[in-house]
Amino acid sequence: MQSNLWELFWEGYKIDSWQELGEGALRIRLVATGDGACGGCGALAPQVHETQWRRVRDLDLLDRRLWLELPVRRVCCPRCGVKRERIAWLGEHQRLAHRLVRQVEALCRVLPIQHVARHLGLSWHTVKRIDKARLQRELPPLDYRSLRRLVMDEFALHKGHRYASVIADAETRQVLWIGEGRSREAVRPFFQELGAHCAQIEAVAMDQNSAFDLEVKAHCPNAEVVYDLFHIVAKYGREVIDRVRVDQANALREDKPARQAVKRSRWLLLRNRDNLSDDQATRLDALMSLNAPLAQVYILKDQLKELWRCPSPWSAYRLWRAWWRMAQQSGLKPLIAFARKLKPYLRGILASARFPLNTSVLEGINNKIKVIKRMAYGYRDTEYFFLKIKYAFPGIRR
Ligand SMILES: [Zn+2]
């Protein structure tokens, strides 16, 4: 039989006295039950150099916030000299018992920091520090040996005034690296770290407007740059569909109902047809049968996507020729301009037939970063934000 129940929870200590602090808080004063052990080697060290009292938060005791007050000794170890004593349930400089730290970690997996802080009565910074240490500890190690294909992207930090770049393994979806900035210099540290493994990279997917392509070519002699479908289709939506839609709405100034239908069609035209309800699909068909230019840019959007689904660069090239002709013959200025701007990137588009990189990797990372940013709003700790992103993409084993 255990004679001292509290040794179960506070090994090496027993309760000396307790006091109500008000507002549902309780203070328990602990005293040591025996000699201290050396914090360095663990040997018993009966000789005490000095004793300090420490206030520590522990898990709530029933419905009370629990504060402990306990003596922590510095002991004279024959082997290590003067050392702080080892306490099994409390870290050396900690003011929180281990089990409270574990609870903070568990709650941070499912709740935003501010909720955890409020629930446990801890400061926001304390909770963040604990979660940050957990992320650093639990991040899977990087292994470049079987790395062949990369995806690179950029995203806005803090309301879009600053940017960061992210690099992931296209096959496992593991986020390998994140850094501030979106210039060539900003991503250089990644390739320097990759070192000799740069030679094994065969393809890198990216936005055609990024500065990354030259940096990739400078480091990875065997890599083909592949322009990503996700970004090009998004750009097509902004630069072609949106503008043609506004032009058409303006042209219909006399016909109010038709003008409203065109003005409200943005979402219908940008969504994938597969994601529309029957009712929405009917509205889309009606719109397209009434408005030839909108029908044209819509069909060319779908045709453009097909470029990324070709079995060979040759068939992709034939499809591009046909697409180019249709764009030029459309007479629609935004479409002609878009096609002309896209043409210099043709090589990187056709390369997608040789290296089909699933575009959902970039789209998925992009969307998840937005969610994490919303949850991490106001963190002002970029390192923590980056850790959260890496942690969200640990990679699937090959
Ligand atoms: Zn020692």
Side-chain angles (χ1 to χ4, degrees):
M1 270 290 278
Q2 191 116 15
S3 59
N4 173 14
L5 169 68
W6 304 111
E7 284 249 17
L8 273 179
F9 305 107
W10 301 305
E11 194 187 320
Y13 290 86
K14 65 177 183 186
I15 293 180
D16 174 62
S17 60
W18 56 271
Q19 188 188 358
E20 288 220 71
L21 295 177
E23 291 179 358
L26 188 66
R27 182 169 64 213
I28 292 182
R29 199 182 163 98
L30 299 174
V31 288
T33 51
D35 291 336
C38 165
C41 68
L44 269 187
Q47 203 190 327
V48 174
H49 178 74
E50 63 171 337
T51 301
Q52 281 173 341
W53 285 83
R54 204 192 297 185
R55 292 192 70 188
V56 168
R57 265 289 304 276
D58 205 330
L59 278 186
D60 292 356
L61 183 64
L62 302 182
D63 62 349
R64 301 301 169 94
R65 289 263 188 261
L66 183 55
W67 286 92
L68 303 172
E69 214 172 62
L70 64 142
V72 177
R73 294 165 290 195
R74 284 160 64 80
V75 295
C76 305
C77 173
R79 218 175 310 169
C80 312
V82 175
K83 282 275 172 191
R84 203 179 302 251
E85 70 172 308
R86 177 176 293 178
I87 303 172
W89 48 275
L90 186 65
E92 192 176 354
H93 301 292
Q94 293 282 2
R95 304 214 159 249
L96 304 177
H98 283 330
R99 59 191 147 255
L100 180 55
V101 173
R102 295 289 100 78
Q103 192 182 39
V104 171
E105 290 174 350
L107 290 174
C108 281
R109 288 174 194 277
V110 289
L111 292 173
I113 289 184
Q114 64 189 67
H115 294 202
V116 179
R118 204 182 309 143
H119 176 63
L120 297 175
L122 295 169
S123 85
W124 190 90
H125 288 281
T126 301
V127 173
K128 191 197 74 179
R129 177 176 52 77
I130 292 170
D131 194 41
K132 191 170 173 177
R134 171 186 72 88
L135 293 173
Q136 277 159 340
R137 199 175 65 226
E138 291 184 354
L139 267 191
L142 294 174
D143 181 356
Y144 298 133
R145 281 172 303 178
S146 45
L147 189 62
R148 294 288 178 274
R149 299 180 184 186
L150 300 171
V151 292
M152 300 178 75
D153 204 3
E154 57 186 51
F155 57 93
L157 286 168
H158 308 310
K159 296 179 181 173
H161 296 306
R162 284 156 53 223
Y163 285 83
S165 303
V166 55
I167 302 177
D169 183 330
E171 288 161 301
T172 66
R173 299 168 59 111
Q174 181 178 14
V175 169
L176 305 169
W177 186 90
I178 309 179
E180 282 197 55
R182 54 174 172 174
S183 62
R184 283 187 64 171
E185 293 74 28
V187 295
R188 195 163 296 157
F190 170 74
F191 293 102
Q192 285 165 344
E193 192 188 307
L194 201 55
H197 293 288
C198 281
Q200 76 202 33
I201 303 301
E202 57 184 31
V204 185
M206 64 183 73
D207 179 0
Q208 90 270 23
N209 285 325
S210 72
F212 303 146
D213 54 348
L214 293 174
E215 196 62 18
V216 166
K217 282 171 191 152
H219 294 278
C220 306
N222 304 311
E224 189 74 54
V225 168
V226 181
Y227 295 115
D228 176 64
L229 167 73
F230 164 62
H231 287 104
I232 292 180
V233 170
K235 199 171 150 72
Y236 185 87
R238 287 192 306 271
E239 297 186 1
V240 180
I241 294 183
D242 277 352
R243 277 188 216 166
V244 170
R245 195 176 48 84
V246 170
D247 289 348
Q248 292 304 308
N250 289 340
L252 286 166
R253 216 164 278 137
E254 309 303 317
D255 183 351
K256 267 214 164 144
R259 177 180 155 89
Q260 283 301 318
V262 169
K263 276 184 90 173
R264 292 192 187 130
S265 65
R266 179 169 198 271
W267 189 84
L268 280 180
L269 291 163
L270 294 180
R271 270 319 269 277
N272 259 334
R273 200 184 176 92
D274 300 342
N275 298 334
L276 297 181
S277 68
D278 290 347
D279 179 47
Q280 291 161 340
T282 312
R283 271 174 56 209
L284 178 64
D285 290 339
L287 182 74
M288 297 212 302
S289 67
L290 287 173
N291 196 302
L294 281 180
Q296 213 160 7
V297 294
Y298 186 83
I299 290 163
L300 281 177
K301 180 187 80 167
D302 280 346
Q303 289 283 310
L304 182 66
K305 286 185 189 170
E306 287 304 313
L307 277 176
W308 277 264
R309 301 193 184 108
C310 288
S312 69
W314 174 237
S315 63
Y317 182 67
R318 271 188 312 199
L319 194 62
W320 162 262
R321 293 297 309 161
W323 190 87
W324 170 264
R325 255 196 321 274
M326 284 189 283
Q328 297 306 309
Q329 288 165 1
S330 70
L332 299 167
K333 273 193 186 138
L335 179 56
I336 295 170
F338 180 86
R340 206 167 287 155
K341 274 193 282 176
L342 195 57
K343 203 176 179 184
Y345 299 99
L346 187 58
R347 183 195 165 100
I349 295 169
L350 301 184
S352 64
R354 279 174 62 215
F355 303 103
L357 297 166
N358 193 344
T359 191
S360 68
V361 177
L362 267 179
E363 203 176 353
I365 292 174
N366 220 287
N367 288 336
K368 200 128 173 197
I369 285 175
K370 283 186 198 143
V371 173
I372 294 171
K373 192 155 82 175
R374 222 173 300 140
M375 283 218 2
Y377 179 71
Y379 283 6
R380 300 275 175 269
D381 181 346
T382 312
E383 198 189 342
Y384 179 63
F385 179 36
F386 289 175
L387 273 171
K388 283 281 219 200
I389 297 169
K390 284 184 189 166
Y391 189 78
F393 290 92
I396 346 155
R397 294 211 170 276
R398 269 177 260 244

